[in-house]
Amino acid sequence: MTKQLTIGEREFSVYDEGSGPTILFVHGFPLSHAMWRGQLETLKTRFRVVAPDLRGFGDSPPPTGADAGAKSTMRQMADDCSAVLDALQIAAPVVLCGLSMGGYVAWQFAKHHSGKLRGLILCDTKAASDTPEAAETRRKMAEHVLKHGTSAVAEAMPAKLFAKVTHKEKPEIVAEIRKTIEATQPQGLAASQRGMAEREDVRTWLPQIAVPTLVIVGREDAISPVDEMRAIADAIPGAKFHVVEQAGHMAPLEQPGEVNSLIADFVDSLA
Ligand code: MLT
């Protein structure tokens, strides 16, 4: 069930189902909680699964002033996730599972809300910050979508997100993601691009992560490649590392069965 929560002056749309240990799913850019549907439908039978639409995505409104340069920082989104848990009266520490931008949010959650964290699952993400060129590309994209809408991003981005076999054998998933990107509010997309452009490099901080951690990457991830994710796992004490075959950047959506088993086994191991 999706709930509308009012937190301070902001509205959030949050999927919340099931009971048991809580897994908080944090989506990637420029998507919504729906990217986790393959996890939510299955794992809700054993766990409480909570999946917010981050500010400016899905049915959660963008920050005010996005047209005039406002940004959604990774820290703000992590604070939003913490506030969502409070609003749902979830007091026990959760396992946070974040993909890509959701992983950038996870780092900030782990840094600033560590008391609420039982474990971390990082899917297809990065610990490094942007190069100046990459940050500039994000700022340009922000200006572009505010002027022209999201169609060009929706056309271009799916090519980079999936494994070859997904494009060939599961074109409906690619089409679904294209639709989600097209429906994303330009203000939300722009604000998060500005936020990601200035996100922190957390590589030297990774050894301080003190909760059990699982790192998952699609073999053909072109955005957060296997070697980069292996380096993240190597830097986090005791982290487990798993490569999902026949998957790209959207491993949980491309290979839900395998990723669900990894998540369930990991959460069970914390009991
Ligand atoms: C994502 O999937 O969330 C994006 O690839 C993150 C990014 O643009 O760095």
Side-chain angles (χ1 to χ4, degrees), residues 27-31 35 99-104 123-126 130 138 141 157 161 192-193 196 199 221 223-224 249-250:
H27 64 79
F29 165 92
L31 305 173
M35 63 144 283
L99 180 132
S100 200
M101 181 180 76
Y104 312 157
C123 305
D124 303 279
T125 191
K126 289 172 182 291
D130 280 353
R138 290 192 193 277
M141 190 200 281
M157 206 164 164
L161 296 179
S192 67
Q193 277 291 45
M196 284 193 283
R199 74 184 189 283
D221 189 334
I223 297 174
S224 329
H249 190 59
M250 301 299 301

Side-chain angles (χ1 to χ4, degrees), residues 66-257:
D67 289 309
K71 58 199 162 204
S72 300
T73 67
M74 302 305 102
R75 171 71 195 272
Q76 283 170 328
M77 294 196 213
D79 292 348
D80 292 342
C81 288
S82 169
V84 162
L85 294 176
D86 291 343
L88 295 175
Q89 299 186 323
I90 296 173
V94 304
V95 172
L96 193 162
C97 176
L99 180 132
S100 200
M101 181 180 76
Y104 312 157
V105 173
W107 304 134
Q108 294 303 314
F109 191 95
K111 269 190 151 183
H112 300 285
H113 302 283
S114 59
K116 290 182 172 169
L117 200 57
R118 176 73 185 93
L120 267 178
I121 304 175
L122 285 323
C123 305
D124 303 279
T125 191
K126 289 172 182 291
S129 54
D130 280 353
T131 60
E133 296 74 28
E136 187 50 28
T137 303
R138 290 192 193 277
R139 292 192 189 98
K140 284 193 181 135
M141 190 200 281
E143 294 314 312
H144 182 91
V145 295
L146 289 173
K147 279 200 196 110
H148 305 291
T150 55
S151 305
V153 182
E155 270 315 303
M157 206 164 164
K160 289 182 273 183
L161 296 179
F162 299 99
K164 279 189 221 75
V165 68
T166 307
H167 283 286
K168 199 163 157 229
E169 291 177 15
K170 299 179 187 167
E172 68 285 356
I173 293 181
V174 182
E176 176 190 323
I177 287 294
R178 186 173 293 125
K179 265 192 177 165
T180 305
I181 299 175
E182 190 136 34
T184 300
Q185 305 158 79
Q187 290 84 356
L189 193 154
S192 67
Q193 277 291 45
R194 296 190 191 110
M196 284 193 283
E198 60 176 53
R199 74 184 189 283
E200 185 182 357
D201 188 327
V202 295
R203 283 174 297 180
T204 57
W205 167 82
L206 296 178
Q208 293 178 46
I209 293 180
V211 291
T213 300
L214 169 66
V215 176
I216 298 174
V217 62
R219 172 72 71 194
E220 293 173 48
D221 189 334
I223 297 174
S224 329
V226 169
D227 286 350
E228 189 172 338
M229 292 228 57
R230 186 180 286 113
I232 290 175
D234 286 347
I236 300 173
K240 298 191 176 97
F241 179 63
H242 191 95
V243 181
V244 180
E245 302 298 335
Q246 304 211 314
H249 190 59
M250 301 299 301
L253 196 57
E254 297 175 87
Q255 299 297 342

